Amino acid sequence: MRLAAVALASVSLLALAPSDPPALPEQMADTGGGSQLITAQAPREDSTSGTLTWWDRRDGHWVKAGSAAARFGAKGLAEGGSRKQGSNTTPTGLYDLPFAFGTKAAPAGTSVAYRPVRDESWWCQDNDSRSYNRWTEPRPADCRASESEHLIAYKAQYAYALVVGFNYERPVRGRGAGIFLHVNGAGTTAGCVSVSEDAMRRVLGWADPARAPRIAIGTVSGGTAITRY
């Protein structure tokens, strides 16, 4: 009788024990409709570091495929819809990943569209240009070099990169251009998300365009909480 009582008490304690919280993507309002997702989460809006995690949708649930330490903008994060160009903030929100590029050859297993960076490769950030927030080869006459990125000049950071679809489909002048997921530099970014070179190789080998991968960027809580997106 005493053993039965102990067993019953143990079962009761297990029933009362808190269960593990749902995986982060399962707490989100939207994950983009695909079966792959990258989350880039920072503790607060003023944080310059956090965690990048990539997930697979399997049997109705999100399963972690990998994770790495991440860096954000020098001024933290800002709501993507109201972000200002030159603010050194990383835009929060849910975005597609139009294509990848790099100063190095695509890692083994890469299936996303991958563009090699050449001497004439630029990313136009000139608000007055028709090529605003676009890859250009060569740089067009109406896109000032002083307002753009000569991609090959960033051999380490752009060894491997994924374009984040922030302000990309229908660019709004002044909101920001050239937001990427790329390799770490010496410190924080000007608004991109960065991880180690090894992590970028793993992400590129994992991402499958047939599974419509997206990236969600946000904070743990508050107005820019990743779960809002």
Side-chain angles (χ1 to χ4, degrees):
M1 188 71 176
R2 190 172 298 169
L3 288 174
V6 169
L8 182 60
S10 298
V11 170
S12 299
L13 287 172
L14 286 172
L16 291 172
S19 58
D20 292 335
L24 180 57
E26 293 173 358
Q27 301 175 49
M28 293 172 57
D30 186 10
T31 56
S35 59
Q36 286 189 327
L37 180 71
I38 300 171
T39 56
Q41 190 178 42
R44 304 173 307 278
E45 280 190 48
D46 62 355
S47 298
T48 58
S49 62
T51 304
L52 188 90
T53 308
W54 46 107
W55 309 81
D56 289 306
R57 183 81 172 166
R58 297 177 185 166
D59 300 324
H61 296 284
W62 287 99
V63 180
K64 184 188 294 187
S67 65
R71 299 175 183 174
F72 299 97
K75 296 295 180 65
L77 298 86
E79 170 59 46
S82 57
R83 180 186 182 270
K84 301 298 182 184
Q85 186 161 329
S87 62
N88 288 332
T89 56
T90 299
T92 62
L94 177 66
Y95 306 107
D96 63 354
L97 299 162
F99 62 91
F101 65 89
T103 61
K104 293 186 177 181
T110 299
S111 58
V112 296
Y114 191 90
R115 299 183 184 180
V117 173
R118 295 184 272 260
D119 285 341
E120 64 270 27
S121 304
W122 290 76
W123 197 276
C124 184
Q125 300 181 14
D126 189 337
N127 282 284
D128 297 326
S129 174
R130 289 172 295 177
S131 300
Y132 177 68
N133 203 20
R134 287 292 184 271
W135 170 292
T136 64
E137 275 186 3
R139 179 176 53 84
D142 73 340
C143 182
R144 292 169 289 174
S146 60
E147 297 293 321
S148 303
E149 278 196 349
H150 193 195
L151 299 178
I152 204 164
Y154 301 91
K155 289 187 176 180
Q157 294 94 321
Y158 296 157
Y160 308 113
L162 268 167
V163 176
V164 174
F166 165 72
N167 200 30
Y168 188 77
E169 186 176 352
R170 295 181 180 85
V172 176
R173 265 63 178 176
R175 185 162 291 170
I179 300 299
F180 313 126
L181 170 61
H182 64 72
V183 175
N184 287 333
T188 56
T189 75
C192 296
V193 180
S194 73
V195 293
S196 70
E197 184 171 328
D198 175 68
M200 277 304 306
R201 283 196 297 266
R202 287 187 285 147
V203 167
L204 288 172
W206 159 86
D208 181 356
R211 298 177 63 189
R214 300 288 188 271
I215 185 168
I217 304 169
T219 53
V220 171
S221 60
T224 53
I226 202 168
T227 51
R228 291 181 56 236
Y229 303 112

